[in-house]
Amino acid sequence: MLEFIKQPWPWYIAGPLVGLTVPALLIIGNKSFGISASLRHTCAMCLPANITFFKYDWKKEIWNMFFVVGILLGGILAFNFLSNPDPIIINDTLRTELASYGVTNINGMLPEQLFSWENLITLKGFFMMVVGGFLIGFGSRYAGGCTSGHSISGLSNLQLPSLIATCCFFVGGLIMANIILPLILSI
């Protein structure tokens, strides 16, 4: 059984499992699926300042914090006990392109030459981690939710803003991967 769990699950199993989370949350607790709102709840819990955005009854949304903690613990358990020791298989063309930017150690989920404490103090690392992290946080707040909230929950609820946001996420991802990322990697 453990060997079955360690294998990558095909889309026709993983997709419906994720997809069933949305109606389960709606039916069981009239809650919507999303992760980025947990940052607001955390700030409202820990920083009870006189900021209008954080003045609400965050205790009604405590379930979201348990959900996020469960994701964190699940990731830790999966990394420590269910990791596949085999190297990650990537396309040879991508491997060659990354090598041209100096990224040759692709043994883990995140290349150490891009995502490490040592790389954080470089210009490339600063753009990748600090500026990128800020833009992700700003973008999810500006869009009124993250990719999981809009693309999974919003689309299943037939919300037009979620369709627009999902299209923008996709276009932004294409621009980032094909134009901006090569520029950052060539620094």
Side-chain angles (χ1 to χ4, degrees):
M1 181 69 169
L2 189 59
E3 288 304 314
F4 172 74
I5 293 173
K6 283 185 170 186
Q7 300 301 315
W9 290 14
W11 65 268
Y12 52 84
I13 294 176
L17 285 174
V18 171
L20 290 173
T21 302
V22 174
L25 283 171
L26 285 172
I27 292 168
I28 294 171
N30 197 24
K31 306 291 184 189
S32 60
F33 178 77
I35 302 300
S36 60
S38 61
L39 178 60
R40 180 182 184 206
H41 306 323
T42 302
C43 291
M45 281 189 283
C46 299
L47 304 170
N50 195 17
I51 301 171
T52 307
F53 184 67
F54 297 132
K55 284 186 170 184
Y56 67 98
D57 189 9
W58 56 265
K59 292 175 185 161
K60 289 182 180 178
E61 303 299 327
I62 197 72
W63 72 272
N64 192 260
M65 299 307 295
F66 284 106
F67 187 71
V68 170
V69 169
I71 290 172
L72 178 66
L73 291 176
I76 291 169
L77 288 173
F79 179 79
N80 288 311
F81 300 111
L82 302 175
S83 292
N84 185 346
D86 300 332
I88 294 176
I89 300 169
I90 64 171
N91 186 291
D92 289 334
T93 307
L94 176 60
R95 185 178 300 278
T96 304
E97 185 177 349
L98 288 173
S100 72
Y101 295 119
V103 180
T104 55
N105 185 4
I106 311 171
N107 294 329
M109 292 299 286
L110 299 171
E112 290 180 17
Q113 291 148 327
L114 295 177
F115 300 99
S116 65
W117 290 109
E118 295 81 25
N119 196 42
L120 181 61
I121 58 174
T122 66
L123 186 60
K124 183 190 312 185
F126 181 80
F127 273 110
M128 293 289 290
M129 292 183 270
V130 177
V131 174
F134 172 78
L135 289 175
I136 287 172
F138 175 80
S140 65
R141 174 66 188 117
Y142 188 72
C146 59
T147 53
S148 62
H150 281 297
S151 301
I152 297 171
S153 185
L155 288 180
S156 66
N157 290 326
L158 303 176
Q159 296 178 3
L160 180 61
S162 291
L163 176 62
I164 294 167
T166 301
C167 291
C168 291
F169 295 148
F170 186 76
V171 170
L174 288 173
I175 292 169
M176 178 62 195
N178 294 297
I179 298 171
I180 300 172
L181 183 61
L183 291 173
I184 293 172
L185 290 178
S186 63
I187 294 176

